[in-house]
Amino acid sequence: MSTFSTCTLNARPDSPANGDVLFETDTNNVIVYDGTAWRGYASDLETLGANGFSLDLDGTDDRVEIGNVTVLNSSSAFSLTCWIKSSATIIDTFDIFSGGDGYANGIYLYLTPTGLDFGVGTSYGRYSTALNDGSWKHLAAVYNGSSFAVYINGSPVSISTTNTPPASTVATAGNGSHIASRVDDTREFNGKMDDFAIFNSALTASEVSNIYSGNLYPTTKLSHLYKFENNYNDSKGSLNGTAQGNPTFDSSDKPY
Amino acid sequence: MDRKYVILNWDEIDSVDFDQVMETEASKVRKSVDGTKFFVKFEGDVPSFLEGKTIYSHSEILTILATDEWTDPNPPSE
């Protein structure tokens, strides 16, 4: 195995030789000097998260509406990741994401009093350890057309699956999508949230780990990213969110 | 600043001054399951159009919203 010498974007060698190859540790790109200029070969991974603010949701009617997430329609694989924090009592559910009709013809990810459910239609995977302990947690929910996987803080966790997962979502599964509430404007999330991401395919374990530990996103799989940096903008796609209720941004309590 | 919450009957929706509450428009307020009630929230002084109404704290409104009157216990399609 070869090991490249390293540099950073702003500290490339001043007098390179033709054919020099380096790895840029801050961009994760490989660069090659062609005799006149450096040529970069981009990594699929990009550091995208930001941590100036988190989103603070009051659990009554605060939510972010993001419209029709087309990559979730008729999809045979997708993933959702985010940071969450809640110490509130969960009487029913705290919805993290809901699309379509939010159940039989939709997609859902929510906290329950005893853990988390992640589902497509009437099939769902259930993680059965309560997550509302007041600490920041990174969640990844992965669907691959035949099974569900859930990761907590970058590691896979055991889930039980009810009903056989469908081969794909329905054609309207991404319609009217909400972050932090069910699509019918109930079951709002009570707590904080950050870096909500939607991927167009199933993340691997290493990709989830990279997002959790290094904030490194596989850009070819990433479709939408809401950093909640004092706004509801989609920093990857074009589905900027609209806040309802009046969530606030917290600059003092953030996941990393 | 603490948020305060007021439950109103749906037939009062036209009386809401959305400049004085945190909700933005009638179509975006959260309604009770049967659609006969909704709530609004505010910070600071009580908006004039809400004077005389029962005002709830955050913990009080969360308890109310968790009841079947405000949260349908069934999944959306059932």
Side-chain angles (χ1 to χ4, degrees):
Chain A
M1 182 178 297
S2 301
T3 301
F4 294 147
S5 297
T6 62
C7 68
T8 58
L9 177 63
N10 294 316
R12 291 174 173 173
D14 291 331
S15 302
N18 190 2
D20 278 356
V21 180
L22 295 168
F23 175 67
E24 277 184 352
T25 56
D26 53 347
T27 65
N28 287 316
N29 293 341
V30 171
I31 58 172
V32 180
Y33 193 72
D34 68 0
T36 57
W38 288 102
R39 296 190 177 275
Y41 296 86
S43 164
D44 180 45
L45 298 177
E46 188 174 352
T47 303
L48 289 176
N51 205 23
F53 298 86
S54 65
L55 186 64
D56 194 350
L57 303 140
D58 74 356
T60 65
D61 61 354
D62 289 351
R63 60 191 184 273
V64 181
E65 299 178 358
I66 58 174
N68 184 10
V69 183
T70 57
V71 297
L72 299 178
N73 296 333
S74 304
S75 169
S76 60
F78 70 88
S79 307
L80 309 172
T81 66
C82 66
W83 288 92
I84 57 112
K85 175 183 176 179
S86 180
S87 58
T89 300
I90 303 173
I91 296 174
D92 194 44
T93 64
F94 284 176
D95 280 41
I96 297 167
F97 179 83
S98 180
D101 73 352
Y103 185 58
N105 293 300
I107 293 166
Y108 44 95
L109 173 65
Y110 53 71
L111 300 188
T112 70
T114 56
L116 170 152
D117 285 356
F118 168 51
V120 172
T122 57
S123 178
Y124 57 89
R126 172 165 290 176
Y127 173 62
S128 298
T129 299
L131 295 168
N132 57 329
D133 63 5
S135 67
W136 279 104
K137 289 181 170 54
H138 187 262
L139 306 181
V142 178
Y143 162 74
N144 67 4
S146 61
S147 64
F148 301 110
V150 173
Y151 298 76
I152 309 290
N153 290 341
S155 298
V157 296
S158 177
I159 60 173
S160 60
T161 300
T162 297
N163 299 326
T164 302
S168 69
T169 65
V170 300
T172 56
N175 285 2
S177 293
H178 287 196
I179 298 170
S181 85
R182 201 166 75 171
V183 291
D184 61 359
D185 303 340
T186 64
R187 294 169 165 80
E188 279 81 358
F189 189 88
N190 187 358
K192 293 176 180 172
M193 194 178 290
D194 210 355
D195 293 352
F196 185 91
I198 300 171
F199 300 84
N200 59 23
S201 51
L203 293 174
T204 65
S206 63
E207 288 169 335
V208 171
S209 179
N210 279 333
I211 294 168
Y212 164 66
S213 61
N215 209 15
L216 290 167
Y217 289 77
T219 55
T220 55
K221 291 186 175 181
L222 180 63
S223 296
H224 306 283
L225 175 62
Y226 301 87
K227 300 179 184 178
F228 300 130
E229 290 299 290
N230 217 16
N231 63 56
Y232 304 97
N233 293 343
D234 176 3
S235 58
K236 175 61 176 177
S238 57
L239 279 182
N240 289 342
T242 301
Q244 303 297 340
N246 195 25
T248 57
F249 297 99
D250 189 336
S251 62
S252 62
D253 187 3
K254 301 165 291 185
Y256 56 89
Chain B
M1 185 176 290
D2 284 344
R3 293 180 172 185
K4 300 296 183 185
Y5 305 79
V6 173
I7 294 172
L8 299 168
N9 294 317
W10 183 248
D11 60 13
E12 298 175 280
I13 189 69
D14 290 338
S15 72
V16 174
D17 179 354
F18 284 100
D19 291 333
Q20 297 189 66
V21 296
M22 293 181 169
E23 288 69 25
T24 55
E25 56 183 285
S27 66
K28 296 297 184 180
V29 299
R30 178 171 171 181
K31 292 189 267 188
S32 58
V33 172
D34 66 5
T36 62
K37 297 178 182 177
F38 69 101
F39 75 86
V40 293
K41 62 191 178 190
F42 62 93
E43 291 178 343
D45 295 337
V46 179
S48 54
F49 74 94
L50 293 176
E51 288 178 357
K53 302 288 187 182
T54 300
I55 296 173
Y56 298 99
S57 67
H58 184 225
S59 61
E60 289 170 334
I61 196 72
L62 286 174
T63 300
I64 293 168
L65 295 178
T67 64
D68 290 355
E69 182 181 14
W70 286 87
T71 300
D72 188 338
N74 300 309
S77 299
E78 288 189 357

